[in-house]
Amino acid sequence: MHSYDLYDRVLGSLMTAGIGDALGAPAEGFSRQEIADTFGRIVKFEDASHNAISPDNLVGEVTDDTSQMIEMAKAVIRAGGNLTVDGAGQALLNWSRNWPKYYPRNAGGTTKHVILALERGEDPVRIGKLGKLPYRGATNGAVMRVAAAGLIHPGDLDGACRTAITMTVPSHGTQHGFGGACAVACAIAGAMQESPSVWQVLKAAVYGAKQGQAYGERHGRVAQGPSVAYKIAQAAEAVFSSATREEAEQRVQCAVGCDSYSVQITVAVVLGMFAAADGDTGKTLESCANIGGDTDTFGCVAGMIAGAFNGCDGIPQNLIQPFQQTNTHIDFQRLAGELTQIARENIPQSR
Protein backbone atom coordinates (compact mmCIF):
# COMPACT_ATOMS: atom_id res chain seq x y z
CA MET A 1 0.00 0.00 0.00
CA HIS A 2 1.37 3.38 -1.03
CA SER A 3 1.18 6.58 1.01
CA TYR A 4 -2.36 7.73 1.64
CA ASP A 5 -3.74 10.27 -0.82
CA LEU A 6 -7.49 10.84 -0.55
CA TYR A 7 -7.84 12.36 -4.02
CA ASP A 8 -5.92 9.46 -5.57
CA ARG A 9 -8.27 6.96 -3.93
CA VAL A 10 -11.36 8.81 -5.15
CA LEU A 11 -9.99 9.18 -8.67
CA GLY A 12 -8.82 5.58 -8.59
CA SER A 13 -12.31 4.40 -7.71
CA LEU A 14 -14.04 6.38 -10.47
CA MET A 15 -11.45 5.54 -13.12
CA THR A 16 -11.24 1.87 -12.23
CA ALA A 17 -15.03 1.57 -12.29
CA GLY A 18 -15.04 2.95 -15.83
CA ILE A 19 -12.21 0.69 -16.93
CA GLY A 20 -13.86 -2.39 -15.43
CA ASP A 21 -17.11 -1.48 -17.16
CA ALA A 22 -15.38 -1.08 -20.54
CA LEU A 23 -13.33 -4.25 -20.08
CA GLY A 24 -16.40 -6.37 -19.41
CA ALA A 25 -18.76 -4.74 -21.93
CA PRO A 26 -17.92 -6.87 -25.00
CA ALA A 27 -18.67 -10.06 -23.04
CA GLU A 28 -21.90 -8.99 -21.31
CA GLY A 29 -24.45 -11.78 -21.46
CA PHE A 30 -21.93 -14.40 -22.56
CA SER A 31 -21.35 -17.57 -20.58
CA ARG A 32 -17.89 -18.26 -19.21
CA GLN A 33 -17.40 -20.82 -22.00
CA GLU A 34 -18.58 -18.41 -24.70
CA ILE A 35 -16.11 -15.81 -23.45
CA ALA A 36 -13.29 -18.35 -23.62
CA ASP A 37 -14.33 -19.43 -27.13
CA THR A 38 -14.58 -15.84 -28.38
CA PHE A 39 -11.71 -14.05 -26.67
CA GLY A 40 -9.54 -16.70 -25.07
CA ARG A 41 -9.29 -14.70 -21.88
CA ILE A 42 -10.10 -11.00 -21.68
CA VAL A 43 -7.09 -9.04 -20.42
CA LYS A 44 -7.46 -5.95 -22.63
CA PHE A 45 -10.24 -3.95 -24.24
CA GLU A 46 -11.98 -5.93 -26.98
CA ASP A 47 -14.28 -5.20 -29.92
CA ALA A 48 -17.94 -5.22 -28.87
CA SER A 49 -19.44 -5.35 -32.37
CA HIS A 50 -20.47 -9.00 -31.99
CA ASN A 51 -22.33 -8.28 -28.73
CA ALA A 52 -26.09 -7.84 -29.08
CA ILE A 53 -26.34 -5.55 -26.02
CA SER A 54 -23.81 -2.84 -26.96
CA PRO A 55 -22.78 -3.57 -30.55
CA ASP A 56 -21.85 0.01 -31.43
CA ASN A 57 -19.65 0.64 -28.39
CA LEU A 58 -16.12 1.70 -29.22
CA VAL A 59 -13.22 -0.39 -27.99
CA GLY A 60 -12.67 0.70 -24.39
CA GLU A 61 -15.90 2.72 -24.14
CA VAL A 62 -17.97 2.82 -20.94
CA THR A 63 -21.61 1.76 -20.83
CA ASP A 64 -24.76 2.69 -18.94
CA ASP A 65 -23.09 1.60 -15.68
CA THR A 66 -20.38 4.24 -15.56
CA SER A 67 -22.63 6.93 -17.03
CA GLN A 68 -25.21 6.38 -14.27
CA MET A 69 -22.46 6.42 -11.64
CA ILE A 70 -21.30 9.77 -13.02
CA GLU A 71 -24.76 11.37 -12.99
CA MET A 72 -25.33 10.27 -9.39
CA ALA A 73 -21.91 11.60 -8.38
CA LYS A 74 -22.79 14.94 -9.96
CA ALA A 75 -26.01 15.00 -7.95
CA VAL A 76 -24.03 14.42 -4.75
CA ILE A 77 -21.69 17.27 -5.68
CA ARG A 78 -24.57 19.66 -6.44
CA ALA A 79 -26.03 18.84 -3.03
CA GLY A 80 -22.74 19.44 -1.26
CA GLY A 81 -22.82 15.85 -0.03
CA ASN A 82 -26.36 16.15 1.38
CA LEU A 83 -28.24 14.30 -1.34
CA THR A 84 -32.03 14.19 -1.22
CA VAL A 85 -34.39 11.62 -2.71
CA ASP A 86 -35.58 14.23 -5.20
CA GLY A 87 -31.96 14.90 -6.14
CA ALA A 88 -31.38 11.19 -6.70
CA GLY A 89 -34.47 11.00 -8.87
CA GLN A 90 -33.28 13.98 -10.89
CA ALA A 91 -29.95 12.22 -11.44
CA LEU A 92 -31.79 9.36 -13.12
CA LEU A 93 -33.69 11.79 -15.33
CA ASN A 94 -30.45 13.56 -16.20
CA TRP A 95 -28.92 10.26 -17.20
CA SER A 96 -31.81 9.49 -19.54
CA ARG A 97 -31.42 12.90 -21.16
CA ASN A 98 -27.65 13.31 -21.22
CA TRP A 99 -26.63 9.84 -22.43
CA PRO A 100 -28.87 9.06 -25.45
CA LYS A 101 -26.55 6.30 -26.61
CA TYR A 102 -27.43 4.25 -23.53
CA TYR A 103 -31.00 5.29 -22.81
CA PRO A 104 -33.38 3.68 -23.44
CA ARG A 105 -31.29 0.94 -25.07
CA ASN A 106 -29.42 -0.18 -21.96
CA ALA A 107 -31.85 0.80 -19.21
CA GLY A 108 -32.82 -2.19 -17.09
CA GLY A 109 -36.43 -3.14 -16.46
CA THR A 110 -36.49 -1.37 -13.10
CA THR A 111 -34.65 1.79 -14.16
CA LYS A 112 -36.62 2.25 -17.37
CA HIS A 113 -39.90 1.97 -15.45
CA VAL A 114 -38.69 4.48 -12.84
CA ILE A 115 -37.54 7.05 -15.39
CA LEU A 116 -40.88 6.96 -17.19
CA ALA A 117 -42.70 7.41 -13.87
CA LEU A 118 -40.43 10.30 -12.86
CA GLU A 119 -41.09 11.98 -16.19
CA ARG A 120 -44.80 11.84 -15.34
CA GLY A 121 -44.06 13.62 -12.08
CA GLU A 122 -44.83 10.69 -9.80
CA ASP A 123 -43.55 10.53 -6.20
CA PRO A 124 -40.00 9.06 -6.21
CA VAL A 125 -40.52 7.40 -2.80
CA ARG A 126 -43.61 5.59 -4.01
CA ILE A 127 -42.08 4.65 -7.38
CA GLY A 128 -39.19 2.74 -5.85
CA LYS A 129 -41.48 0.52 -3.78
CA LEU A 130 -43.81 -0.60 -6.57
CA GLY A 131 -43.88 -4.31 -7.19
CA LYS A 132 -46.10 -6.33 -9.59
CA LEU A 133 -43.07 -7.84 -11.33
CA PRO A 134 -40.77 -10.21 -9.41
CA TYR A 135 -37.51 -8.52 -10.40
CA ARG A 136 -38.59 -4.91 -9.92
CA GLY A 137 -36.47 -3.21 -7.29
CA ALA A 138 -34.21 -6.24 -6.90
CA THR A 139 -32.03 -5.74 -9.97
CA ASN A 140 -28.53 -4.25 -9.85
CA GLY A 141 -29.12 -0.71 -11.12
CA ALA A 142 -28.70 0.91 -7.72
CA VAL A 143 -25.29 -0.64 -7.07
CA MET A 144 -23.84 0.47 -10.40
CA ARG A 145 -24.31 4.13 -9.49
CA VAL A 146 -23.52 4.09 -5.75
CA ALA A 147 -19.78 4.92 -5.79
CA ALA A 148 -20.04 8.47 -4.45
CA ALA A 149 -21.89 7.28 -1.33
CA GLY A 150 -18.78 5.46 -0.16
CA LEU A 151 -16.24 7.94 -1.52
CA ILE A 152 -17.53 10.92 0.46
CA HIS A 153 -17.61 8.92 3.72
CA PRO A 154 -14.11 7.44 4.15
CA GLY A 155 -14.29 4.89 6.98
CA ASP A 156 -17.82 6.01 7.94
CA LEU A 157 -20.04 3.02 7.23
CA ASP A 158 -23.21 4.56 8.65
CA GLY A 159 -22.71 7.72 6.62
CA ALA A 160 -22.15 5.61 3.49
CA CYS A 161 -25.39 3.74 4.23
CA ARG A 162 -27.38 6.95 4.63
CA THR A 163 -26.29 8.30 1.26
CA ALA A 164 -26.65 4.92 -0.46
CA ILE A 165 -30.20 4.59 0.84
CA THR A 166 -31.09 8.05 -0.48
CA MET A 167 -29.67 7.11 -3.88
CA THR A 168 -31.68 3.89 -3.93
CA VAL A 169 -35.11 5.06 -2.75
CA PRO A 170 -36.41 6.26 -6.17
CA SER A 171 -35.61 3.06 -8.02
CA HIS A 172 -34.84 -0.03 -5.93
CA GLY A 173 -36.90 0.36 -2.76
CA THR A 174 -36.73 -3.27 -1.66
CA GLN A 175 -34.71 -4.90 1.10
CA HIS A 176 -32.46 -6.39 -1.62
CA GLY A 177 -31.95 -3.06 -3.38
CA PHE A 178 -31.05 -1.29 -0.15
CA GLY A 179 -28.93 -4.21 1.04
CA GLY A 180 -26.90 -4.29 -2.16
CA ALA A 181 -26.38 -0.54 -2.39
CA CYS A 182 -25.33 -0.29 1.25
CA ALA A 183 -23.02 -3.30 0.92
CA VAL A 184 -21.11 -1.73 -1.97
CA ALA A 185 -21.09 1.76 -0.44
CA CYS A 186 -19.69 0.36 2.82
CA ALA A 187 -17.10 -1.71 0.96
CA ILE A 188 -15.93 1.50 -0.73
CA ALA A 189 -15.97 3.48 2.52
CA GLY A 190 -13.99 0.69 4.18
CA ALA A 191 -11.52 0.61 1.31
CA MET A 192 -11.07 4.38 1.60
CA GLN A 193 -9.36 4.03 4.99
CA GLU A 194 -5.64 4.64 5.18
CA SER A 195 -4.46 1.02 5.42
CA PRO A 196 -7.40 -1.31 4.85
CA SER A 197 -7.23 -5.06 4.46
CA VAL A 198 -9.31 -7.19 2.12
CA TRP A 199 -10.96 -8.72 5.18
CA GLN A 200 -11.95 -5.29 6.51
CA VAL A 201 -13.54 -4.44 3.19
CA LEU A 202 -15.54 -7.67 3.19
CA LYS A 203 -16.68 -7.11 6.78
CA ALA A 204 -17.74 -3.58 5.89
CA ALA A 205 -19.77 -4.92 2.96
CA VAL A 206 -21.58 -7.44 5.16
CA TYR A 207 -22.33 -4.69 7.69
CA GLY A 208 -23.81 -2.57 4.92
CA ALA A 209 -25.81 -5.48 3.51
CA LYS A 210 -27.43 -6.12 6.88
CA GLN A 211 -28.11 -2.43 7.55
CA GLY A 212 -29.67 -1.98 4.12
CA GLN A 213 -31.71 -5.15 4.52
CA ALA A 214 -33.08 -3.94 7.86
CA TYR A 215 -33.94 -0.53 6.42
CA GLY A 216 -35.72 -2.11 3.47
CA GLU A 217 -37.73 -4.44 5.67
CA ARG A 218 -38.92 -1.44 7.69
CA HIS A 219 -39.47 1.11 4.95
CA GLY A 220 -39.43 -0.62 1.57
CA ARG A 221 -41.14 -3.39 -0.30
CA VAL A 222 -40.11 -6.86 0.86
CA ALA A 223 -39.27 -8.79 -2.28
CA GLN A 224 -38.69 -12.50 -2.74
CA GLY A 225 -35.27 -14.12 -2.78
CA PRO A 226 -32.23 -14.65 -0.55
CA SER A 227 -30.54 -11.77 1.22
CA VAL A 228 -27.47 -9.99 -0.09
CA ALA A 229 -25.51 -11.00 3.02
CA TYR A 230 -26.35 -14.67 2.43
CA LYS A 231 -25.09 -14.53 -1.16
CA ILE A 232 -21.90 -12.76 -0.04
CA ALA A 233 -21.29 -15.63 2.39
CA GLN A 234 -21.79 -18.16 -0.42
CA ALA A 235 -19.24 -16.37 -2.59
CA ALA A 236 -16.75 -16.09 0.27
CA GLU A 237 -17.00 -19.80 1.01
CA ALA A 238 -16.41 -20.62 -2.67
CA VAL A 239 -13.36 -18.36 -2.79
CA PHE A 240 -11.83 -19.57 0.46
CA SER A 241 -12.12 -23.20 -0.69
CA SER A 242 -10.32 -22.49 -3.99
CA ALA A 243 -6.62 -22.93 -4.61
CA THR A 244 -6.39 -20.51 -7.56
CA ARG A 245 -8.20 -17.45 -8.85
CA GLU A 246 -9.58 -19.29 -11.87
CA GLU A 247 -10.88 -22.04 -9.62
CA ALA A 248 -12.53 -19.33 -7.52
CA GLU A 249 -14.22 -17.97 -10.64
CA GLN A 250 -15.60 -21.43 -11.42
CA ARG A 251 -16.75 -22.08 -7.86
CA VAL A 252 -18.42 -18.67 -7.49
CA GLN A 253 -20.15 -19.16 -10.84
CA CYS A 254 -21.53 -22.50 -9.65
CA ALA A 255 -22.38 -21.47 -6.09
CA VAL A 256 -23.73 -17.96 -6.66
CA GLY A 257 -24.56 -17.89 -10.36
CA CYS A 258 -23.87 -15.16 -12.91
CA ASP A 259 -26.93 -15.70 -15.07
CA SER A 260 -29.16 -12.83 -13.99
CA TYR A 261 -29.10 -9.13 -13.22
CA SER A 262 -30.14 -9.58 -9.60
CA VAL A 263 -28.49 -7.33 -7.05
CA GLN A 264 -27.72 -10.23 -4.72
CA ILE A 265 -25.72 -12.07 -7.38
CA THR A 266 -23.93 -8.93 -8.55
CA VAL A 267 -22.70 -7.94 -5.09
CA ALA A 268 -21.64 -11.50 -4.24
CA VAL A 269 -19.71 -11.97 -7.49
CA VAL A 270 -17.98 -8.60 -7.16
CA LEU A 271 -16.83 -9.19 -3.59
CA GLY A 272 -15.87 -12.76 -4.40
CA MET A 273 -13.63 -11.69 -7.27
CA PHE A 274 -12.09 -8.91 -5.15
CA ALA A 275 -11.29 -11.45 -2.42
CA ALA A 276 -10.00 -14.05 -4.88
CA ALA A 277 -7.59 -11.44 -6.27
CA ASP A 278 -6.41 -10.46 -2.77
CA GLY A 279 -7.57 -6.94 -3.58
CA ASP A 280 -5.36 -6.57 -6.67
CA THR A 281 -7.08 -4.22 -9.12
CA GLY A 282 -6.02 -5.80 -12.40
CA LYS A 283 -6.75 -9.35 -11.29
CA THR A 284 -10.14 -8.33 -9.88
CA LEU A 285 -11.18 -6.71 -13.16
CA GLU A 286 -9.87 -9.62 -15.21
CA SER A 287 -11.91 -12.12 -13.21
CA CYS A 288 -15.05 -10.00 -13.51
CA ALA A 289 -14.62 -9.77 -17.29
CA ASN A 290 -14.21 -13.53 -17.69
CA ILE A 291 -16.66 -15.03 -15.21
CA GLY A 292 -19.67 -14.62 -17.52
CA GLY A 293 -23.04 -12.95 -17.16
CA ASP A 294 -23.33 -9.24 -16.40
CA THR A 295 -19.61 -8.71 -16.87
CA ASP A 296 -19.69 -4.95 -17.44
CA THR A 297 -21.59 -4.31 -14.21
CA PHE A 298 -19.38 -6.76 -12.32
CA GLY A 299 -16.32 -4.87 -13.57
CA CYS A 300 -17.76 -1.45 -12.85
CA VAL A 301 -18.81 -2.21 -9.28
CA ALA A 302 -15.67 -4.20 -8.50
CA GLY A 303 -13.66 -1.32 -9.93
CA MET A 304 -15.28 1.12 -7.50
CA ILE A 305 -14.07 -1.02 -4.59
CA ALA A 306 -10.64 -2.02 -5.91
CA GLY A 307 -9.93 1.53 -7.06
CA ALA A 308 -10.77 2.93 -3.64
CA PHE A 309 -8.56 0.23 -2.10
CA ASN A 310 -5.50 0.77 -4.32
CA GLY A 311 -5.84 4.20 -5.90
CA CYS A 312 -4.70 4.96 -9.43
CA ASP A 313 -1.42 3.06 -9.05
CA GLY A 314 -3.37 -0.19 -8.98
CA ILE A 315 -4.79 0.28 -12.49
CA PRO A 316 -2.95 -1.81 -15.13
CA GLN A 317 -0.90 0.66 -17.13
CA ASN A 318 -1.79 -0.85 -20.49
CA LEU A 319 -5.46 0.04 -19.94
CA ILE A 320 -5.17 3.67 -18.90
CA GLN A 321 -4.19 5.37 -22.17
CA PRO A 322 -6.69 3.62 -24.48
CA PHE A 323 -9.44 4.16 -21.93
CA GLN A 324 -8.73 7.88 -21.67
CA GLN A 325 -8.49 8.27 -25.45
CA THR A 326 -11.88 6.66 -25.97
CA ASN A 327 -13.70 8.42 -23.12
CA THR A 328 -12.52 12.02 -23.51
CA HIS A 329 -16.07 13.24 -22.81
CA ILE A 330 -15.78 12.24 -19.14
CA ASP A 331 -13.79 14.48 -16.78
CA PHE A 332 -12.91 12.00 -14.06
CA GLN A 333 -10.35 14.37 -12.54
CA ARG A 334 -12.86 17.15 -11.95
CA LEU A 335 -15.42 14.79 -10.46
CA ALA A 336 -12.78 13.29 -8.19
CA GLY A 337 -11.61 16.70 -7.04
CA GLU A 338 -15.12 17.84 -6.10
CA LEU A 339 -15.96 14.58 -4.33
CA THR A 340 -12.64 14.71 -2.48
CA GLN A 341 -13.50 18.14 -1.12
CA ILE A 342 -16.76 16.80 0.29
CA ALA A 343 -14.95 13.77 1.72
CA ARG A 344 -12.43 16.01 3.47
CA GLU A 345 -15.24 17.98 5.07
CA ASN A 346 -16.69 14.71 6.36
CA ILE A 347 -13.46 13.66 8.08
CA PRO A 348 -13.17 15.10 11.61
CA GLN A 349 -9.43 15.64 11.26
CA SER A 350 -8.45 16.11 7.61
CA ARG A 351 -5.71 13.77 6.52
Side-chain angles (χ1 to χ4, degrees), residues 89-349:
Q90 186 61 50
L92 296 178
L93 286 175
N94 290 346
W95 175 72
S96 72
R97 296 162 182 169
N98 296 338
W99 302 82
K101 185 171 185 177
Y102 309 132
Y103 181 81
R105 183 186 74 180
N106 297 128
T110 296
T111 299
K112 185 180 296 185
H113 157 80
V114 166
I115 288 171
L116 292 174
L118 289 170
E119 287 177 340
R120 294 192 296 267
E122 295 184 24
D123 177 10
V125 175
R126 178 177 174 276
I127 293 168
K129 291 192 287 188
L130 290 179
K132 299 181 182 179
L133 293 174
Y135 62 81
R136 186 164 289 165
T139 48
N140 58 16
V143 300
M144 71 174 60
R145 46 184 177 256
V146 80
L151 296 177
I152 66 169
H153 294 290
D156 178 7
L157 305 189
D158 291 328
C161 282
R162 286 193 300 273
T163 302
I165 286 168
T166 302
M167 290 178 173
T168 305
V169 165
S171 60
H172 292 75
T174 67
Q175 84 279 27
H176 301 319
F178 289 122
C182 289
V184 173
C186 284
I188 295 167
M192 288 288 290
Q193 297 179 93
E194 187 162 356
S195 299
S197 67
V198 171
W199 179 242
Q200 286 173 321
V201 173
L202 295 180
K203 285 180 64 179
V206 171
Y207 176 85
K210 291 183 176 181
Q211 292 295 107
Q213 171 96 10
Y215 179 89
E217 289 174 349
R218 292 193 305 271
H219 303 289
R221 179 177 74 87
V222 177
Q224 65 180 13
S227 71
V228 173
Y230 175 77
K231 300 302 283 188
I232 293 172
Q234 279 190 312
E237 182 178 359
V239 169
F240 295 151
S241 61
S242 300
T244 66
R245 184 160 50 93
E246 290 199 26
E247 183 184 354
E249 294 169 19
Q250 295 169 348
R251 284 182 176 272
V252 169
Q253 182 191 45
C254 291
V256 176
C258 303
D259 56 344
S260 80
Y261 294 87
S262 84
V263 64
Q264 302 101 307
I265 287 176
T266 297
V267 175
V269 168
V270 162
L271 291 168
M273 295 305 93
F274 177 74
D278 290 326
D280 180 88
T281 296
K283 293 176 181 177
T284 299
L285 298 187
E286 181 185 326
S287 287
C288 287
N290 289 282
I291 197 170
D294 196 6
T295 48
D296 62 325
T297 302
F298 296 159
C300 181
V301 179
M304 298 174 190
I305 299 168
F309 189 75
N310 295 305
C312 293
D313 285 348
I315 303 172
Q317 290 299 304
N318 66 305
L319 299 178
I320 296 175
Q321 185 175 2
F323 177 76
Q324 291 177 324
Q325 289 175 339
T326 300
N327 298 282
T328 55
H329 55 299
I330 303 174
D331 192 344
F332 287 99
Q333 287 77 13
R334 179 175 179 178
L335 280 174
E338 293 175 328
L339 289 173
T340 300
Q341 182 57 43
I342 295 172
R344 291 192 191 284
E345 293 169 358
N346 286 334
I347 299 174
Q349 290 185 345

